[in-house]
Amino acid sequence: MDFTPAIVAFCCENSAYRAADIAGAQQEGYPSNIRICRLPCSGKLEIIHILKAFEEGADGVFVFACHPDSCKFLLGNVRAGKRIDHTSTLLEKIGIEKERLRFFFLSELEWTAFVEMVRLGNESIRNLGPSPVKKEP
Amino acid sequence: MDNHLDSCTGGNNGIPVKIGVFFCTCGHMMNDYFDVKALMDYAAQVPGVAFVDENRFLCTRSGLEWLRSKIVRSGCNRFVIAGCSPHQYEVRFMNVLEEAGLNRSFLTIANIREGCAWACADKEGCMPKARQILSSAIKRVALAKPLEKVRRKVESSALVIGAGISGIQMAIELHGLGLRPILVEKQEKVCPKDASFMNPCTQGAQGSDEVFSSGWITQKLKELDDKKIEILTSSQVTQVKGGPGAFRVTLETAGQEKILDIGSIVVSTEPEKRAVQKMTALRPSHRIVSLSGLSDLVTRERRALEQILVTADKRTKYVCFILGEAEGFAKRSTVMALNEAIALKKQFKAEVVIAARDIIVSGTQIETLYQKARQAGILFFRSTEDSGPTVSIEKGVITVRIHDPALDRPSAKAASGNAGVCGSQESEGAARPVIIHADLLVFEDEILPGEDTECLKNALRVNLNKGGFYQEANIHLKPNLSNKKGIFLAGSCHGKEETCEALGDVRSVAMAVYSTLSRGYLETEQKVVIDTDKCALCLTCFRSCPHQAIEIGEVELGQKWGAKVIPEACQGCGICAGECPAKAIEMVHYSDNQIFSELTLER
Amino acid sequence: MNDQDKAIVIGGGIAGVSSALSLADNGYEVYVVEKKSSIGGHALSFCCKATEQCNSCGVCLAKDKVTRAASSPNIHLLTHSEVVGVREVRLKDGGVSFEVDVRKQPRFIDEDKCIACSLCYQSCPKPGIAISRPYLSSIPNVFSIDRNHCLAFQQETGCALCEDNCPAGAIFLNQKEETTILHASALVVATGFTAYDARKKGHLGYGRLPEVITGLDLEQRLLAGRASAFFGPLTREGKEHMPPRIAFIQCVGSRDPHISQDYCSRVCCKYAVRMAAKLKSQISDAEVTIFYIDLQKTESEFLSLVEQVRGKISLIKGLPVEIEKAGNGAGVSMRYENIDKGCMESADFDLVVLSVGISPAVQNQILAETLCLRTGRDGFFAPLNLLDSTVSSRPGIFLAGTCQGPKSLVESVSHGQEAALRAVAFLRGLKKKGLEEVCHG
């Protein structure tokens, strides 16, 4: 199946955004269909942002937060985790597979892990096929 | 194209948004990845874009000069720079904007180098991605609102809570830097409640016995007096309001309430000690003491000690230290035990045995101290992980059994039999413990947070860690800030064990305090704004802010109450904005609309 | 600007950077003299040691500090530079100031003009050798040319490919070594440490056996990629895909009177356990063993990490006697003393990591002579008083970080701030004295 999913990656600027930068600078290619959205902290991410991304036609949403206990703002990643759990249930209710929303922990220096996560995540979304939102007339 | 322009002209006081887009081609390198000319043409036709230009080296000195002149001449009021990652030069470019008289938030970086050119695994995906990054950056900047700067005068006073060794040193250091320290002590008198608390660490290190004894304290107390440092005794902090530079602290001083305006707060309280569980399980005896009890005996009740260790029968006396029973502060116990052991060995010619699992030497010259102890003839036995030493008392005789696997070796058996100095050897049984009939048995202390920690924590609104000690902010801001800006932690209240370490910590905190207060003012950006009309006073933000930067108070004089942000304390994480159920809180540089603008996918 | 508003920090490692930042934040003009081509020192070659959670190794703190230092307007970075002479000069107002000779080796690339586009690197016939930068976004983010390898200095014809390809015109192959004179009233020495050379411990096989690496090597490997990439397919006892067996050896070059390094390096237990946890989290079936003398259980974060790895990682009290190539050809075989069992044992491993300790920097003696400072018996700079370890034996010169003695990354940052405090107090004192003298005059 020739399908390139549209993926939005919300990245904390203290960790994953920098990791993505390093991955880029290392010329370590990752799929070009990943759209990176910079956040001051994963704790800023709201449910509406995730839903909006799906509404706009994203086939998958990845959220990258710092490792537990290393959030620059202490609890941002914990808050994000809770919201993502809640959003998953919301997504299921409206008929979007909850696997389309993924949550990862990452630190600034783990750029290799970033590339790996993005590649694997991209594959799994590709296997899921286009988002049901897009199928609506 | 959507109507992003209409929605934002309001925020720009009705002045139409004119966007300037600058491309940095990084030498000519960017042209290898995509057609920069085509991208420029694309940018030029996006509504709102009034000016497009390119430069080869925007980040160099000449490039910045070029940017400055273009910003002024183009007549635009919002700018997008398409080039490398914002982590490279965003700050530099924002400064240029500011120098040109524009707000720094009117700039968005389109990360087309690290985020696109270098990152795309597939060449053909590169151009569309660059276009997308560019178009969302343009939309985003059109929606930008200015980040207001707030400048606030700061007090030059610093409140030092707890007049222990760290507190006293802190007050003296701050005074030396021209600040005005105020020392607060719960007790009636400034006298570190236990001079020996952090005491002997450096004794051994310096090879002298009085480097860090009461002499130090007397000298420092005199210094406090000479420098006329304000000291509030019998005082406790009951409430703290405000943010860094301008705390309003309520104290209870000798039954009276007192309100002070304070620039920074330093917590330097001292922990408490408790006997370890193994010791409390035994029948109390004057021959069983804790380490701090022992140093009390040495300094204050020498006679009692002599009664134990000097008797007429001329028999060799045995002193046994058992270490490794308490969780944490192992370095402190090891150092204290080594020092006391050497002293007892020298002064009473007693046979001293130290039973420990691991000897903690990772501190200032502790290894030297350890070697000194071995040279002095102190015996060390290593208990195993699963079977620590056991203690029993029969007819007033204290018997310690230590299982040291090294002594079970066939070759070592003879040697251990020789070591009759430390008791007799049981002949039966496979695992043969070393048996010591101790005349004095010493356990380490368990170190716990001070009893008023909980109380003070609530007054200061700072966090505690799992062990109940004060929690440092986090690794990014470590080593000495609490979760609230302007409140610092110094010394043993956050786990510093040795004197050298604690005094070092005090100095690095003093530097941090000085950095906050030295300029006489603090300038911060108002990163978060609260719409008071929408605020329903539900306290969600107040509770969720990790830095306690939100206060509840009057927002309109005598009219309405609501949540307020203390800009100096705010660190700009946006958690409050994410949590607010009424959507009354907005992050200026990351508004909902701005985030949405980045989500529109182009197909 | 007055000399009393200036300070020179010798060494751009994490302690120096932290010190410089603290000074710069308070309005002092700071020169950071760094011998290498970029600042950050050892700290930036360390990997993040987070497993499922942050293990507070502090590497991100270091990154943060270095980035902040790079954008501070009050900090001037002098790379490829060394302090070669120091003189005390009397100022007109009666104060004392230092006149410092700084020798700058040519980088052959102009730091102000270079845009780090890496075109020179790509065009170089010997990329990574003749033209290199220590790591991506190093600070300053500028390449440097090594004259020992660059063809321009070796062939008569002279290669100038980089010069031709540089879009910014930043390459100057005729740059010469130059000496500049700086003035400042306070100096902070933050020259850091040298890792113990594990080759000196021949019985451990470092340099002889490819399976034996140091902790620093492992840091770099983990920084560059995942642990699973270190091991090829492991076959033993006739079975394929066997889990890797990894050993950490503690106290290599620490607590060893034979090499007169009879002190504890303070960092090895922590980094070994953190990296062991990291390896274990990346390769879940790996068999990790740590051999130690005394596990330095201090700091609450570390205690909880030890609790967390208990049962997953074996901790053996005892050190190896010798490491040799394993008889069956796979990995190495180690003979060691198991103190808890009271006997000698042996085991095979696929990777042995030597936790090398902190040794005094090799140039300490030379620098001590230049600056007229005292060094201790252990080779580190000696403070006047252990209770205030930043004050050196000469007024106006302060010590920061591991040049004074072993310290962890976070402790070095803290120590840097301490040194800054002493420097600030000293400079303020000079200024006050100067003012008083002017008034009296």
Side-chain angles (χ1 to χ4, degrees):
Chain A
M1 187 175 57
D2 190 30
F3 159 63
T4 314
I7 294 170
V8 173
F10 288 103
C11 293
C12 167
E13 72 173 349
N14 298 301
S15 53
Y17 195 89
R18 287 166 196 254
D21 269 357
I22 301 176
Q26 294 276 12
Q27 312 255 342
E28 190 75 30
Y30 54 87
S32 64
N33 50 328
I34 313 282
R35 181 90 188 76
I36 290 176
C37 181
R38 179 185 177 200
L39 291 176
C41 169
S42 56
K44 169 73 186 91
L45 183 68
E46 292 173 43
I47 295 170
I48 186 79
H49 300 150
I50 302 173
L51 296 180
K52 189 84 178 173
F54 281 112
E55 190 182 294
E56 292 284 344
D59 299 297
V61 172
F62 299 165
V63 180
F64 290 94
C66 303
H67 287 282
D69 295 345
S70 77
C71 173
K72 186 174 177 186
F73 308 111
L74 305 165
L75 290 172
N77 46 6
V78 179
R79 301 256 167 208
K82 281 184 186 164
R83 279 178 217 154
I84 281 165
D85 286 347
H86 183 60
T87 318
S88 301
T89 59
L90 290 180
L91 287 178
E92 284 214 306
K93 274 185 198 159
I94 57 173
I96 298 175
E97 301 90 327
K98 67 168 188 230
E99 291 75 23
R100 292 186 186 276
L101 175 60
R102 303 279 300 266
F103 187 44
F104 302 101
F105 292 124
L106 201 72
S107 81
E108 178 185 352
L109 296 171
E110 295 176 305
W111 58 272
T112 44
F114 174 82
V115 173
E116 201 177 294
M117 285 168 181
V118 167
R119 280 190 192 146
L120 292 176
N122 184 39
E123 262 334 285
S124 70
I125 302 289
R126 192 202 294 273
N127 293 336
L128 281 171
S131 151
V133 178
K134 285 200 239 175
K135 285 178 196 152
E136 311 254 324
Chain B
M1 277 294 146
D2 52 69
N3 55 353
H4 65 268
L5 284 177
D6 306 336
S7 56
C8 64
T9 39
N12 202 28
N13 296 329
I15 304 162
V17 165
K18 280 171 81 182
I19 303 168
V21 183
F22 297 105
F23 285 82
C24 174
T25 53
C26 202
H28 267 305
M29 201 258 304
M30 291 288 214
N31 287 307
D32 299 349
Y33 295 91
F34 36 61
D35 185 354
V36 176
K37 264 263 129 1
L39 268 182
M40 286 173 70
D41 293 342
Y42 169 79
Q45 51 82 38
V46 178
V49 174
F51 186 84
V52 181
D53 206 345
E54 67 161 328
N55 188 296
R56 288 164 70 199
F57 328 104
L58 217 45
C59 57
T60 57
R61 205 168 285 168
S62 61
L64 293 171
E65 215 39 68
W66 177 89
L67 182 67
R68 200 187 333 261
S69 70
K70 286 283 175 186
I71 284 175
V72 176
R73 255 187 286 155
S74 67
C76 293
N77 47 23
R78 307 288 158 98
F79 296 91
V80 168
I81 291 175
C84 55
S85 161
H87 284 298
Q88 299 284 351
Y89 301 113
E90 191 179 37
V91 179
R92 216 180 271 190
F93 295 142
M94 281 180 165
N95 290 343
V96 172
L97 238 71
E98 219 162 37
E99 284 160 27
L102 287 155
N103 192 283
R104 54 198 295 128
S105 87
F106 290 162
L107 172 80
T108 295
I109 305 280
N111 180 2
I112 57 169
R113 193 176 80 172
E114 278 92 339
C116 178
W118 285 352
C120 285
D122 44 335
K123 272 261 146 54
E124 57 277 15
C126 206
M127 188 67 183
K129 189 174 184 182
R131 254 203 316 260
Q132 200 162 65
I133 292 175
L134 197 59
S135 82
S136 37
I138 295 171
K139 279 183 219 160
R140 194 181 195 287
V141 83
L143 293 161
K145 287 179 193 158
L147 275 168
E148 302 293 350
K149 276 205 173 154
V150 198
R151 185 184 267 226
R152 185 184 288 194
K153 194 182 152 289
V154 301
E155 303 288 334
S156 65
S157 53
L159 196 71
V160 182
I161 304 173
I165 288 169
S166 315
I168 293 175
Q169 181 69 25
M170 177 60 78
I172 291 169
E173 295 287 358
L174 290 176
H175 183 270
L177 289 168
L179 300 174
R180 191 164 63 87
I182 301 169
L183 201 51
V184 178
E185 173 57 46
K186 190 174 62 174
Q187 313 273 324
E188 287 164 15
K189 232 177 107 201
V190 173
C191 166
K193 69 183 162 210
D194 177 4
S196 72
F197 182 71
M198 316 256 317
N199 163 4
C201 309
T202 42
Q203 289 187 1
Q206 295 261 317
S208 98
D209 284 340
E210 77 289 270
V211 173
F212 203 82
S213 55
S214 50
W216 187 90
I217 304 221
T218 326
Q219 184 208 327
K220 291 287 168 183
L221 288 177
K222 188 169 172 294
E223 218 170 314
L224 282 181
D225 221 33
D226 292 348
K227 292 183 169 157
K228 299 195 173 59
I229 289 170
E230 196 174 337
I231 302 171
L232 299 170
T233 47
S234 313
S235 302
Q236 261 175 307
V237 175
T238 52
Q239 197 188 37
V240 173
K241 285 194 156 185
F247 286 109
R248 176 147 289 194
V249 181
T250 316
L251 292 154
E252 209 188 279
T253 303
Q256 283 177 335
E257 197 170 85
K258 186 170 183 156
I259 293 176
L260 292 171
D261 286 321
I262 297 292
S264 272
I265 298 174
V266 183
V267 182
S268 57
T269 51
E270 286 193 350
E272 316 234 324
K273 296 176 301 259
R274 191 175 70 185
V276 289
Q277 201 260 329
K278 205 165 197 168
M279 180 172 156
T280 48
L282 294 171
R283 197 150 21 94
S285 156
H286 69 290
R287 291 174 183 275
I288 302 178
V289 291
S290 67
L291 268 174
S292 56
L294 178 63
S295 46
D296 276 353
L297 282 180
V298 172
T299 49
R300 276 172 230 149
E301 295 162 71
R302 221 178 155 76
R303 181 151 302 163
L305 192 65
E306 277 165 9
Q307 271 173 6
I308 299 171
L309 295 178
V310 187
T311 44
D313 62 7
K314 300 266 166 90
R315 181 176 61 85
T316 320
K317 295 292 183 287
Y318 294 101
V319 182
C320 179
F321 290 82
I322 297 181
L323 299 179
E325 298 295 327
E327 181 83 349
F329 284 82
K331 202 192 292 183
R332 173 183 178 274
S333 335
T334 309
V335 173
M336 279 184 84
L338 289 174
N339 272 306
E340 300 295 1
I342 296 173
L344 290 178
K345 178 91 193 169
K346 271 194 193 143
Q347 292 169 15
F348 296 97
K349 306 273 178 284
E351 202 57 72
V352 184
V353 174
I354 295 181
R357 168 71 191 158
D358 290 307
I359 304 289
I360 308 297
V361 289
S362 67
T364 317
Q365 309 230 339
I366 307 180
E367 183 79 47
T368 319
L369 184 62
Y370 174 47
Q371 282 168 10
K372 203 172 139 194
R374 296 199 81 126
Q375 278 158 14
I378 289 160
L379 297 164
F380 287 84
F381 291 102
R382 305 297 179 87
S383 48
T384 55
E385 195 90 357
D386 23 71
S387 63
T390 53
V391 181
S392 60
I393 309 177
E394 279 162 43
K395 293 178 196 152
V397 179
I398 304 165
T399 311
V400 183
R401 288 184 169 78
I402 308 164
H403 296 268
D404 188 332
L407 296 178
D408 268 347
R409 260 186 274 180
S411 58
K413 260 174 198 154
S416 70
N418 250 336
V421 280
C422 56
S424 64
Q425 187 82 18
E426 255 177 19
S427 49
E428 270 104 327
R432 287 187 282 181
V434 178
I435 295 176
I436 298 148
H437 299 297
D439 295 286
L440 183 63
L441 179 60
V442 188
F443 284 98
E444 72 212 284
D445 301 283
E446 192 160 1
I447 309 294
L448 297 167
E451 56 180 19
D452 53 350
T453 305
E454 196 64 31
C455 207
L456 190 56
K457 169 217 155 189
N458 290 334
L460 296 169
R461 296 177 67 203
V462 295
N463 293 348
L464 301 182
N465 66 13
K466 282 170 205 145
F469 289 93
Y470 292 96
Q471 171 78 58
E472 294 108 348
N474 116 323
I475 198 78
H476 295 269
L477 301 168
K478 250 183 160 179
N480 34 36
L481 195 64
S482 76
N483 61 310
K484 181 153 183 168
K485 259 194 184 173
I487 301 185
F488 299 87
L489 309 171
S492 47
C493 74
H494 68 132
K496 294 283 174 273
E497 296 186 29
E498 349 159 36
T499 321
C500 296
E501 225 172 66
L503 292 180
D505 191 46
V506 163
R507 283 186 293 271
S508 87
V509 173
M511 190 65 217
V513 172
Y514 181 70
S515 300
T516 329
L517 304 181
S518 66
R519 247 162 293 141
Y521 66 89
L522 278 178
E523 196 170 68
T524 30
E525 283 168 350
Q526 183 105 34
K527 293 189 185 106
V528 171
V529 286
I530 302 183
D531 183 343
T532 44
D533 290 339
K534 285 188 191 164
C535 176
L537 213 55
C538 66
L539 305 185
T540 307
C541 53
F542 179 78
R543 294 200 186 101
S544 62
C545 177
H547 306 112
Q548 311 296 352
I550 290 184
E551 269 190 334
I552 305 296
E554 254 175 25
V555 281
E556 282 165 53
L557 213 60
Q559 293 260 336
K560 192 178 185 296
W561 277 57
K564 284 194 289 192
V565 180
I566 308 166
E568 291 81 15
C570 174
Q571 302 188 15
C573 62
I575 290 178
C576 54
E579 292 284 330
C580 178
K583 292 220 137 283
I585 308 182
E586 190 173 57
M587 271 198 93
V588 178
H589 205 50
Y590 290 92
S591 68
D592 275 348
N593 284 334
Q594 282 185 311
I595 292 177
F596 292 159
S597 74
E598 295 202 38
L599 301 178
T600 28
L601 298 159
E602 216 175 81
R603 275 177 304 267
Chain C
M1 206 174 226
N2 227 319
D3 279 4
Q4 282 138 21
D5 296 318
K6 286 193 255 176
I8 297 171
V9 176
I10 307 173
I14 190 60
V17 163
S18 153
S19 204
L21 259 179
S22 287
L23 286 161
D25 281 351
N26 288 299
Y28 291 93
E29 192 101 5
V30 189
Y31 297 90
V32 177
V33 182
E34 166 63 45
K35 196 172 66 170
K36 296 233 174 70
S37 65
S38 70
I39 59 165
H42 283 99
L44 293 191
S45 64
F46 297 162
C47 65
C48 166
K49 296 175 195 68
T51 47
E52 289 83 26
Q53 65 176 66
C54 170
N55 287 323
S56 22
C57 61
V59 176
C60 41
L61 170 74
K63 269 225 117 159
D64 189 58
K65 287 266 174 199
V66 172
T67 324
R68 274 184 49 212
S71 59
S72 170
N74 289 346
I75 296 181
H76 308 281
L77 301 178
L78 303 166
T79 48
H80 283 283
S81 301
E82 269 180 285
V83 168
V84 288
V86 174
R87 289 172 300 280
E88 242 168 68
V89 285
R90 279 229 157 260
L91 297 177
K92 278 185 209 131
D93 61 3
V96 177
S97 166
F98 293 108
E99 197 172 76
V100 179
D101 298 329
V102 177
R103 189 192 294 148
K104 187 175 169 61
Q105 299 296 334
R107 182 195 270 272
F108 305 110
I109 297 181
D110 188 325
E111 285 157 31
D112 282 339
K113 287 188 175 155
C114 174
I115 53 168
C117 64
S118 72
L119 286 175
C120 55
Y121 179 86
Q122 285 159 23
S123 62
C124 180
K126 291 164 85 180
I129 301 164
I131 293 191
S132 64
R133 84 189 136 165
Y135 35 81
L136 277 160
S137 33
S138 60
I139 287 167
N141 194 357
V142 175
F143 284 84
S144 57
I145 294 174
D146 185 347
R147 66 182 306 156
N148 296 324
H149 296 285
C150 177
L151 296 179
F153 298 94
Q154 288 169 5
Q155 287 174 355
E156 298 225 335
T157 45
C159 157
L161 280 171
C162 49
E163 212 168 7
D164 299 341
N165 277 292
C166 178
I171 296 182
F172 297 94
L173 291 170
N174 54 0
Q175 241 178 32
K176 293 275 173 303
E177 173 189 300
E178 50 188 77
T179 306
T180 43
I181 296 174
L182 298 177
H183 292 266
S185 290
L187 298 185
V188 176
V189 180
T191 45
F193 68 96
T194 305
Y196 177 72
D197 182 7
R199 279 186 191 84
K200 290 185 195 159
K201 295 262 169 197
H203 66 286
L204 297 176
Y206 182 67
R208 180 160 53 87
L209 302 167
E211 290 88 352
V212 181
I213 63 171
T214 65
L216 290 177
D217 297 337
L218 183 62
E219 295 262 14
Q220 278 169 8
R221 286 200 195 183
L222 281 171
L223 188 60
R226 286 178 76 81
S228 42
F230 308 166
F231 305 99
L234 295 173
T235 313
R236 59 175 180 267
E237 294 149 23
K239 280 182 251 169
E240 281 179 6
H241 303 296
M242 294 299 282
R245 300 154 302 178
I246 303 158
F248 283 84
I249 316 291
Q250 296 309 108
C251 294
V252 177
S254 309
R255 306 191 66 190
D256 192 344
H258 302 301
I259 52 166
S260 62
Q261 292 199 177
D262 49 353
Y263 51 83
C264 166
S265 291
R266 300 177 74 157
V267 292
C268 329
C269 282
K270 288 178 180 110
Y271 80 66
V273 175
R274 282 181 185 133
M275 284 204 284
K278 176 116 187 158
L279 287 173
K280 188 75 189 163
S281 81
Q282 291 191 352
I283 312 173
S284 54
D285 59 353
E287 294 161 16
V288 185
T289 316
I290 298 177
F291 294 90
Y292 67 97
I293 304 177
D294 288 305
L295 202 61
Q296 301 299 314
K297 289 188 209 152
T298 55
E299 289 178 32
S300 60
E301 291 97 352
F302 183 65
L303 287 177
S304 61
L305 179 65
V306 172
E307 268 326 296
Q308 189 194 312
V309 300
R310 193 175 292 278
K312 296 180 195 158
I313 289 169
S314 355
L315 290 162
I316 294 180
K317 205 179 178 78
L319 289 183
V321 181
E322 61 176 357
I323 300 176
E324 285 304 330
K325 193 104 199 115
N328 54 9
V332 292
S333 162
M334 182 198 293
R335 251 174 20 99
Y336 60 91
E337 181 192 18
N338 187 331
I339 293 178
D340 276 349
K341 287 192 187 155
C343 60
M344 293 298 292
E345 288 180 351
S346 66
D348 290 357
F349 292 98
D350 301 305
L351 183 72
V352 176
V353 184
L354 307 180
S355 298
V356 287
I358 289 178
S359 300
V362 277
Q363 76 279 15
N364 271 11
Q365 284 311 327
I366 303 165
L367 192 63
E369 269 169 40
T370 314
L371 300 177
C372 304
L373 292 183
R374 218 154 42 88
T375 53
R377 194 174 57 89
D378 46 16
F380 293 103
F381 286 105
L384 266 190
N385 177 353
L386 274 175
L387 289 174
D388 193 347
S389 55
T390 55
V391 179
S392 79
S393 47
R394 186 173 173 189
I397 302 187
F398 305 93
L399 309 172
T402 46
C403 73
Q404 183 269 317
K407 275 170 202 67
S408 73
L409 202 163
V410 178
E411 283 166 349
S412 297
V413 169
S414 203
H415 205 244
Q417 281 183 17
E418 278 177 51
L421 172 95
R422 280 284 163 263
V424 167
F426 180 77
L427 292 173
R428 280 174 57 94
L430 282 185
K431 223 169 184 179
K432 216 168 144 193
K433 212 167 126 197
L435 276 178
E436 276 165 12
E437 279 183 25
V438 169
C439 290
H440 283 299

